[in-house]
Amino acid sequence: MNQLTKEDSEDPVSTVAHTRATSATPEFIVPWEPPFDIQLDASQIRIMKCEVAHLSQIVALEHQLFSATSAYDAAFLEEEITAGRYLVALDRNNAIAGYAGLEPENTNIYISNIAVRRSFSGIGLGREFLRNIVAASVKMNAPRITLHVSEHNFRAIKFYSEFGFTVDSFVRDFYCENDSAYYMIYPL
């Protein structure tokens, strides 16, 4: 895993992490930052707490980026968005550039999903989502942030490692049969 090739790091799939959460915890409130605009490369992006109005675009992107066996369905995404657990990035035309979701995991914060539209890949949007997740996690006094990432997603493994995540364990058949994952940890 630590011997990533240049070809691996240029994997065209721009999804970063994705896993299926078991159930929503209604009392879990995420202290997201207020909406803000940032300039990433040549793109003006607005990052804000996701709203149900974004659901149809998120569902479409979810099914574009993730396999049929691992993509969240609309009902689950709506539940998570309604609970305030998702961030969204919008371009100048209010189209979804990406989104990120998190869940409680005991006292930790678990990243359930980070997805970036391919046309916005490589400009720092995933890193901006992580910065927001770290800030919210610190406000919630979480001791660490955790996630699963597909063993085949070399780009995401490299991305998280460079941010400071370390591999804690390997989970065989995590997503489905023959699609295992690394469980990664970022201490706060």
Side-chain angles (χ1 to χ4, degrees):
M1 183 198 68
N2 291 333
Q3 298 177 356
L4 297 173
T5 67
K6 184 175 183 337
E7 293 167 347
D8 293 334
S9 67
E10 293 178 353
D11 179 349
V13 177
S14 51
T15 56
V16 179
H18 193 266
T19 186
R20 178 142 331 261
T22 53
S23 64
T25 307
E27 63 278 1
F28 178 74
I29 307 296
V30 181
W32 296 120
E33 295 294 322
F36 62 95
D37 297 322
I38 56 172
Q39 187 75 30
L40 295 174
D41 199 27
S43 301
Q44 183 70 30
I45 303 290
R46 181 166 191 80
I47 296 183
M48 59 186 280
K49 181 176 145 184
C50 192
E51 299 171 354
V52 174
H54 303 123
L55 180 63
S56 63
Q57 288 187 69
I58 287 178
V59 169
L61 185 56
E62 179 83 5
H63 290 282
Q64 178 185 13
L65 295 176
F66 299 107
S67 71
T69 58
S70 67
Y72 290 141
D73 62 34
F76 177 82
L77 289 166
E78 182 174 13
E79 182 180 334
E80 294 299 289
I81 291 166
T82 301
R85 297 192 184 122
Y86 268 64
L87 274 181
V88 66
L90 304 172
D91 69 9
R92 291 179 191 189
N93 300 315
N94 287 325
I96 302 290
Y99 54 93
L102 52 85
E103 293 285 331
E105 180 190 58
N106 299 318
T107 59
N108 299 320
I109 298 302
Y110 179 79
I111 298 174
S112 60
N113 196 338
I114 292 182
V116 174
R117 185 178 300 281
R118 285 180 177 89
S119 58
F120 289 92
S121 180
I123 65 169
L125 187 52
R127 188 168 304 284
E128 194 60 41
F129 280 136
L130 280 178
R131 279 195 276 269
N132 277 267
I133 290 169
V134 167
S137 300
V138 167
K139 288 179 184 176
M140 292 185 286
N141 296 314
R144 60 187 177 175
I145 300 170
T146 63
L147 60 88
H148 286 92
V149 62
S150 172
E151 68 177 319
H152 305 293
N153 195 340
F154 299 109
R155 183 177 186 184
I157 294 165
K158 181 179 182 210
F159 169 76
Y160 284 118
S161 296
E162 288 174 351
F163 195 86
F165 282 82
T166 57
V167 173
D168 179 72
S169 59
F170 181 76
V171 184
R172 187 163 309 285
D173 299 333
F174 178 76
Y175 295 102
C176 62
E177 188 174 347
N178 297 319
D179 193 2
S180 300
Y182 292 105
Y183 182 70
M184 300 184 80
I185 295 173
Y186 181 84
L188 295 173

